Amino acid sequence: MATKTNGFGIKRDFDGMLNAQLPKSFGSSSCSFHHKESRNDPSLESLVDSLFNKQFIIDNTNFKIPESKTIFTENPWIVPELLTIKAELNDVKNKLNDYDLAEWHQHTRRRNKAGDVQWRLKKEIDPEFLTQAWSKFYENASVFPLIPKIAIQTKKMVSVHLCEAPGAFVTSLNHWLKLNAPSVEWDWVATTLNPYYEGNPNSCMISDDRFIISSLDHWCFGTDYTGNLMSFKNMENLVGIARKKGDVLLVTADGSIDCTNDPGEQESIVAPLQFCEAVTALKLLSTHGSLLLKMFTIFEHQSLCLVYFLSCLFEKVFINKPVTSKEGNSETYLVCLDYRGQAFAGAHLDVLTDCYEKRTNKSMFCQRDLPEDFVQQMISCGQFFKNYQSKVILNNIESYHCGGDKGHLDNEVKRIKYLVANKFIAEYRLKKLNGENSEVVGKTKLGCIHTINSDSRIPNGSYNERRLVDSLDPSCRLLALCNDMNLIELCATTQWFTFSGTLDEINVNCGKGFSKVESSKFCMGKFLKIRNTVYDILDILGIDLPGGEVKTIQDYISKVARDIKNYKHLWFKQSSLVDHYQTINKLSETLKNVGKGESLVLIGYSLLTQLNVGILYILAHTFKSLGLILNEQFGCLIILECNLFNQSILRFVEEIHKATIEAKVAGESVLAVLPIFKLYESDLYASIVNANHWSIKHYLSNISNYVQNK
């Protein structure tokens, strides 16, 4: 039987482990073409094999969980050897501080040895919703028996996916099951920061929501609609929903937090989230279940304690860096197999659950309670992954300054990329599925969804350049941001819409209120980020811009809409603050005074939130037509022309108003009144996005003029 020995002298019987728990159709294989192509260059063959072999086994034979009464009682502690490794790694990372991130990412993508895997999968396998996350999950599931033996035997499994946006772990698991365990009856639940909750920052989310909106019934955003897993009530809500589906035998947790502004402390920044993910998984999993948890470095006491705790609760634990994980980052996956069960976790899990939201600064375990053997294993593990990451970064720097990829080095990289893609497809026996009926949602449906999914997560400029911009005098920074916006070309348009169909029902959603729009599915993230930053600077400078003259706007309306004889207008002051209660209250009261045949003009009405857009969509069904007018002088004006006095629509408005009052009493807020997919499908959608971009640019232009004139 084949065995492999890693760099730490630990023998691994992967073939035996896999064959013991997976169907006979699943196992290692070789690609004849790969062998043929690499036979003449053993060094390349050896290198390619090593890229698929970045794993560390934790020997947990003699591990014992510390007494529960000692949990979170000791002050933070350090392991000097690990902090030395951390400092050495950060010294290498710091060499990147002056590189433009976009250029650097383009360079490292070209040199990524697994860079051909994605397009080869797209070309030859055509998976549903293919992303890098898809490849990473498939690799983890193929190298380790993540799908437990009990699931294959009972032919039933429920999986739960934490921090799952945009959803590729789900489609990857589906593909794996269809090829390797097609008889398993599978159901799933996923959670992530809700992309439709405008209080969640863009920097914490992935903008692509095509899969989410196509499978909303499987997504749980918690009791407060935020999707924040670090909320205890949301965690309990998720556990309750998942358990009703059956035995949870797989939990994946792919969460992270944006560390762009402090990359050297990534591990500490992400640690509270990883703690919540792990506790949630332990409460979800049935005995013999598996956990796949994204980790980064394991230098600090938080990570050491968490990894040790999990090593005590699972029969086998591995740390794996998939070949498709970006070579130059610290990402790894903790693979935990065969859960010993909640009864085994006992009082420890109860104590950790009690500490779920406390965010204590104490260490989970006392340093003396972690065996020296475990600490030494972590030092060896940290050194191995640090050496690998540092070597990749330094090689990329060298090639960057040599003018990129030229000559022999370029040919070698291309050759390696080709061989890695060959090996990936052959080793994991990847094949096409039998049509879209085998997929979760279907590529056709995903391809028909038109939403804003193009925001780059890579910030502009280098790390040091961004720090320099942040240190500018507020006034200079304000004008620089306004000038950036002025460089973006947008067209002022006037568009009219008529909604002749009926609106059968509304769907009022309540949750945690927010005071500032941090994200929006009706505006590109870069526009919103500039807007919010400018508002923050205005607060620092104590500037409050004067509003426009109502009389001037009234004169303008009479010119552009001459057939509007009688109308009411409703003014909303431009502000960074959100008050859904006031907005709905003002609309409801004003509508009572708009008679049949009269019109309503909304000035300064925000179209950034799902709630406001939904209300406008509803109102459009009781007026003859809706006009969106973008004007150089006034920004965006909304004209609801000729009230048809539709009683059912007016009842909907009253229902929303009543729900708003009740939500306020309960300490919540009404956040949505129509399903998001209905708004996406509306003819209004593209025009609202354009109107938001125009309004932000118009407002910032006014700010720039006002500040310069002062």
PDB file of all heavy atoms in Angstrom, residues 540-552:
ATOM      1  N   ILE A 540     -15.879  65.799   9.691  1.00  0.00           N
ATOM      2  CA  ILE A 540     -14.643  66.237  10.355  1.00  0.00           C
ATOM      3  C   ILE A 540     -14.459  67.741  10.207  1.00  0.00           C
ATOM      4  O   ILE A 540     -14.081  68.445  11.153  1.00  0.00           O
ATOM      5  CB  ILE A 540     -13.424  65.492   9.770  1.00  0.00           C
ATOM      6  CG1 ILE A 540     -13.498  63.996  10.116  1.00  0.00           C
ATOM      7  CG2 ILE A 540     -12.117  66.091  10.277  1.00  0.00           C
ATOM      8  CD1 ILE A 540     -12.458  63.145   9.418  1.00  0.00           C
ATOM      9  N   LEU A 541     -14.753  68.251   9.014  1.00  0.00           N
ATOM     10  CA  LEU A 541     -14.577  69.686   8.738  1.00  0.00           C
ATOM     11  C   LEU A 541     -15.750  70.520   9.247  1.00  0.00           C
ATOM     12  O   LEU A 541     -15.681  71.760   9.236  1.00  0.00           O
ATOM     13  CB  LEU A 541     -14.418  69.907   7.229  1.00  0.00           C
ATOM     14  CG  LEU A 541     -13.174  69.274   6.578  1.00  0.00           C
ATOM     15  CD1 LEU A 541     -13.211  69.460   5.063  1.00  0.00           C
ATOM     16  CD2 LEU A 541     -11.902  69.891   7.165  1.00  0.00           C
ATOM     17  N   GLY A 542     -16.827  69.876   9.671  1.00  0.00           N
ATOM     18  CA  GLY A 542     -17.990  70.614  10.166  1.00  0.00           C
ATOM     19  C   GLY A 542     -18.737  71.348   9.076  1.00  0.00           C
ATOM     20  O   GLY A 542     -19.323  72.415   9.329  1.00  0.00           O
ATOM     21  N   ILE A 543     -18.736  70.803   7.859  1.00  0.00           N
ATOM     22  CA  ILE A 543     -19.398  71.453   6.724  1.00  0.00           C
ATOM     23  C   ILE A 543     -20.785  70.851   6.522  1.00  0.00           C
ATOM     24  O   ILE A 543     -20.942  69.638   6.445  1.00  0.00           O
ATOM     25  CB  ILE A 543     -18.570  71.293   5.435  1.00  0.00           C
ATOM     26  CG1 ILE A 543     -17.231  72.021   5.572  1.00  0.00           C
ATOM     27  CG2 ILE A 543     -19.340  71.817   4.224  1.00  0.00           C
ATOM     28  CD1 ILE A 543     -16.316  71.831   4.378  1.00  0.00           C
ATOM     29  N   ASP A 544     -21.787  71.696   6.442  1.00  0.00           N
ATOM     30  CA  ASP A 544     -23.157  71.269   6.153  1.00  0.00           C
ATOM     31  C   ASP A 544     -23.621  72.041   4.930  1.00  0.00           C
ATOM     32  O   ASP A 544     -23.861  73.253   5.001  1.00  0.00           O
ATOM     33  CB  ASP A 544     -24.064  71.554   7.354  1.00  0.00           C
ATOM     34  CG  ASP A 544     -25.469  70.993   7.145  1.00  0.00           C
ATOM     35  OD1 ASP A 544     -25.627  70.142   6.256  1.00  0.00           O
ATOM     36  OD2 ASP A 544     -26.393  71.420   7.866  1.00  0.00           O
ATOM     37  N   LEU A 545     -23.720  71.349   3.800  1.00  0.00           N
ATOM     38  CA  LEU A 545     -24.057  72.030   2.547  1.00  0.00           C
ATOM     39  C   LEU A 545     -25.483  72.554   2.568  1.00  0.00           C
ATOM     40  O   LEU A 545     -26.396  71.867   3.057  1.00  0.00           O
ATOM     41  CB  LEU A 545     -23.893  71.082   1.357  1.00  0.00           C
ATOM     42  CG  LEU A 545     -22.562  71.169   0.613  1.00  0.00           C
ATOM     43  CD1 LEU A 545     -21.443  70.684   1.512  1.00  0.00           C
ATOM     44  CD2 LEU A 545     -22.607  70.353  -0.655  1.00  0.00           C
ATOM     45  N   PRO A 546     -25.705  73.752   2.056  1.00  0.00           N
ATOM     46  CA  PRO A 546     -27.073  74.275   1.965  1.00  0.00           C
ATOM     47  C   PRO A 546     -27.881  73.509   0.928  1.00  0.00           C
ATOM     48  O   PRO A 546     -27.338  73.002  -0.051  1.00  0.00           O
ATOM     49  CB  PRO A 546     -26.867  75.733   1.523  1.00  0.00           C
ATOM     50  CG  PRO A 546     -25.549  75.728   0.810  1.00  0.00           C
ATOM     51  CD  PRO A 546     -24.706  74.706   1.526  1.00  0.00           C
ATOM     52  N   GLY A 547     -29.189  73.383   1.146  1.00  0.00           N
ATOM     53  CA  GLY A 547     -30.065  72.702   0.190  1.00  0.00           C
ATOM     54  C   GLY A 547     -30.412  73.602  -0.977  1.00  0.00           C
ATOM     55  O   GLY A 547     -30.158  74.805  -0.962  1.00  0.00           O
ATOM     56  N   GLY A 548     -31.005  73.020  -2.011  1.00  0.00           N
ATOM     57  CA  GLY A 548     -31.412  73.796  -3.173  1.00  0.00           C
ATOM     58  C   GLY A 548     -32.657  74.622  -2.901  1.00  0.00           C
ATOM     59  O   GLY A 548     -33.378  74.401  -1.932  1.00  0.00           O
ATOM     60  N   GLU A 549     -32.926  75.570  -3.749  1.00  0.00           N
ATOM     61  CA  GLU A 549     -34.103  76.422  -3.618  1.00  0.00           C
ATOM     62  C   GLU A 549     -35.324  75.705  -4.191  1.00  0.00           C
ATOM     63  O   GLU A 549     -35.336  75.291  -5.350  1.00  0.00           O
ATOM     64  CB  GLU A 549     -33.880  77.738  -4.374  1.00  0.00           C
ATOM     65  CG  GLU A 549     -32.804  78.625  -3.757  1.00  0.00           C
ATOM     66  CD  GLU A 549     -33.218  79.154  -2.397  1.00  0.00           C
ATOM     67  OE1 GLU A 549     -34.449  79.319  -2.168  1.00  0.00           O
ATOM     68  OE2 GLU A 549     -32.337  79.392  -1.555  1.00  0.00           O
ATOM     69  N   VAL A 550     -36.353  75.537  -3.352  1.00  0.00           N
ATOM     70  CA  VAL A 550     -37.564  74.836  -3.780  1.00  0.00           C
ATOM     71  C   VAL A 550     -38.210  75.548  -4.960  1.00  0.00           C
ATOM     72  O   VAL A 550     -38.653  74.914  -5.921  1.00  0.00           O
ATOM     73  CB  VAL A 550     -38.555  74.713  -2.606  1.00  0.00           C
ATOM     74  CG1 VAL A 550     -39.853  74.084  -3.081  1.00  0.00           C
ATOM     75  CG2 VAL A 550     -37.950  73.884  -1.484  1.00  0.00           C
ATOM     76  N   LYS A 551     -38.251  76.871  -4.928  1.00  0.00           N
ATOM     77  CA  LYS A 551     -38.898  77.642  -5.999  1.00  0.00           C
ATOM     78  C   LYS A 551     -38.203  77.394  -7.335  1.00  0.00           C
ATOM     79  O   LYS A 551     -38.865  77.225  -8.370  1.00  0.00           O
ATOM     80  CB  LYS A 551     -38.851  79.137  -5.666  1.00  0.00           C
ATOM     81  CG  LYS A 551     -39.479  80.037  -6.728  1.00  0.00           C
ATOM     82  CD  LYS A 551     -40.989  79.784  -6.816  1.00  0.00           C
ATOM     83  CE  LYS A 551     -41.677  80.859  -7.664  1.00  0.00           C
ATOM     84  NZ  LYS A 551     -41.229  80.842  -9.058  1.00  0.00           N
ATOM     85  N   THR A 552     -36.890  77.328  -7.335  1.00  0.00           N
ATOM     86  CA  THR A 552     -36.139  77.083  -8.562  1.00  0.00           C
ATOM     87  C   THR A 552     -36.468  75.706  -9.129  1.00  0.00           C
ATOM     88  O   THR A 552     -36.645  75.531 -10.337  1.00  0.00           O
ATOM     89  CB  THR A 552     -34.626  77.180  -8.288  1.00  0.00           C
ATOM     90  OG1 THR A 552     -34.348  78.408  -7.632  1.00  0.00           O
ATOM     91  CG2 THR A 552     -33.839  77.106  -9.582  1.00  0.00           C
TER      92      THR A 552
END
